[in-house]
Amino acid sequence: MTSMAVHRHNLFKRDLLLCFDAFGTLFTPKAPIAEQYGEVARRHGLSGFSDAQVQDAFKKAFKEESKERPNYGKAFGMAAPEWWGNIIKKVFYPFLRDDAFPPGLVPDLLTRFSSKDGYKLYPDVLPLFEKLRKIRYQYQSDPEGWPWRRTTVGIITNSDDRVPSILESFGLRVGPRFCPNVSSLRTDPEAEVDIDFVVVSYDVGKEKPHPDIFHAARSAVRLIAKDQDEEDLTTLCVGDEVSKDAIGSIKAGWEAVLLDRDSVYQGSERGILANVQEIAGEYFDEPSFTIARDMTVIGPRLRDIWQEPNEILPLKIPIP
């Protein structure tokens, strides 16, 4: 059973661990994946397929590969590029005639989807990181009143090791990836990074909504900010998926903001509370997380929403 009083108390702790999901939260494909796959494949001489056929083949290949070798093949000793290579080959082998598979197709697609060549940032991302940079390193006060004394920023994502390079290609300064069972993180105390650490499921071995990936983020903070009082730390995850990001967060003891970029929930443009009434037989009678249209909610507005909730949206989500 969750409680609004608990959430209010957590949001008024002095320090903040602010973690973001990556895909669908910070960035999204520049064009539909099938369209980009088809474009690159045609440059390599393949033909006889539509983008819709590529989309269907991609979905099937991704589902098969994820079932047979989950988490990008980590438990099978595979590197992520090999795992993605299997998917790319499954997508395009049906369209080969007598020719051999183009040797440059896999590396070209992997390169494209390792940087801004394949993705674009959402428009609210850079303004938020610019604001955080001023607050964290230039010690400029937020005119709206940033509610926390110290802010540590991380990424928690179900992904492979390409996420840091994608974010860096947009000009963000990214700290190290965190791996379990390490006793230190290579950080430059003089460096002014935008993202202090990155936790990817490939390294942790578990995907959201499993609590281990959230626990890994807390472990990273212990290595980066060794003087951090964990009893005075708000842990907040921002993501775009209900089950993996929002529900995973609250079940791990975190606060959560669900980004409603597709305007599914009425009222999310001003920020609303969601009361998840039922999760796999568990019943909750108090608000669980915040739903917002964009990232401008992060800061004093988030506290205001919890202090004086104008609207609470009831949700029933039968998630195991």
Side-chain angles (χ1 to χ4, degrees):
M1 191 76 66
T2 188
S3 161
M4 183 184 288
V6 171
H7 281 283
R8 285 179 173 175
H9 173 71
N10 287 342
L11 287 168
F12 277 93
K13 292 182 178 181
R14 290 195 300 172
D15 298 333
L16 174 67
L17 169 57
L18 174 60
C19 287
F20 298 95
D21 172 51
F23 188 91
T25 297
L26 299 179
F27 56 79
T28 191
K30 185 178 289 186
I33 290 175
E35 181 181 319
Q36 296 191 66
Y37 267 49
E39 173 195 334
V40 175
R42 292 182 187 99
R43 287 210 307 262
H44 283 273
L46 297 185
S47 61
F49 54 81
S50 66
D51 290 345
Q53 288 174 306
V54 173
Q55 175 71 10
D56 291 342
F58 180 87
K59 286 182 177 179
K60 180 182 178 183
F62 189 90
K63 184 176 181 179
E64 288 178 356
E65 198 69 16
S66 297
K67 183 177 180 180
E68 294 170 7
R69 287 169 283 272
N71 195 29
Y72 308 95
K74 176 69 178 288
F76 295 84
M78 296 175 69
E82 180 184 359
W83 190 88
W84 281 108
N86 288 348
I87 289 179
I88 295 167
K89 290 172 183 175
K90 286 181 179 179
V91 169
F92 290 108
Y93 263 131
F95 305 112
L96 291 179
R97 296 186 179 122
D98 297 327
D99 301 328
F101 195 90
L105 178 55
V106 170
D108 278 4
L109 281 172
L110 291 176
T111 298
R112 171 176 284 218
F113 287 100
S114 297
S115 74
K116 64 181 181 180
D117 289 345
Y119 297 102
K120 61 182 178 181
L121 287 179
Y122 287 102
D124 56 348
V125 173
L126 286 180
L128 175 62
F129 278 102
E130 289 168 1
K131 177 178 179 177
L132 287 169
R133 193 177 301 156
K134 291 176 180 178
I135 293 169
R136 297 174 72 204
Y137 299 115
Q138 299 173 19
Y139 304 102
Q140 296 181 15
S141 62
D142 178 5
E144 297 178 350
W146 187 254
W148 296 279
R149 177 190 60 180
R150 171 195 281 179
T151 302
T152 303
V153 179
I155 300 292
I156 304 177
T157 179
N158 291 351
S159 185
D160 56 47
D161 56 3
R162 292 177 297 167
V163 168
S165 69
I166 294 169
L167 294 171
E168 288 171 342
S169 74
F170 289 108
L172 293 173
R173 294 168 288 193
V174 183
R177 281 163 47 204
F178 171 81
C179 297
N181 304 317
V182 300
S183 58
S184 64
L185 285 178
R186 292 184 179 180
T187 58
D188 180 355
E190 301 300 320
E192 295 184 356
V193 296
D194 297 299
I195 297 165
D196 295 290
F197 64 88
V198 177
V199 174
V200 298
S201 60
Y202 183 83
D203 292 332
V204 176
K206 295 287 174 57
E207 296 184 335
K208 292 179 293 185
H210 198 284
D212 281 1
I213 196 166
F214 295 95
H215 298 336
R218 293 200 70 133
S219 297
V221 173
R222 296 186 194 106
L223 299 179
I224 291 171
K226 296 184 178 179
D227 61 339
Q228 176 65 59
D229 179 2
E230 291 200 42
E231 295 299 317
D232 211 4
L233 182 67
T234 293
T235 50
L236 173 64
C237 182
V238 181
D240 67 304
E241 294 192 54
V242 175
S243 60
K244 295 176 181 178
D245 298 312
I247 303 300
S249 295
I250 64 173
K251 294 192 94 173
W254 289 47
E255 305 301 323
V257 171
L258 177 68
L259 288 180
D260 180 28
R261 294 202 180 277
D262 294 327
S263 306
V264 174
Y265 302 102
Q266 185 176 357
S268 64
E269 71 280 358
R270 59 185 177 273
I272 55 174
L273 298 181
N275 175 11
V276 182
Q277 297 175 317
E278 178 184 356
I279 307 174
E282 285 188 62
Y283 294 90
F284 298 76
D285 57 8
E286 296 287 356
S288 306
F289 56 86
T290 308
I291 303 177
R293 193 69 52 85
D294 57 43
M295 293 194 186
T296 59
V297 74
I298 300 170
R301 272 185 61 207
L302 187 61
R303 281 188 169 176
D304 292 344
I305 289 168
W306 279 95
Q307 280 183 307
E308 299 179 5
N310 295 318
E311 183 177 358
I312 299 177
L313 179 69
L315 298 175
K316 289 186 178 181
I317 307 173
I319 298 173

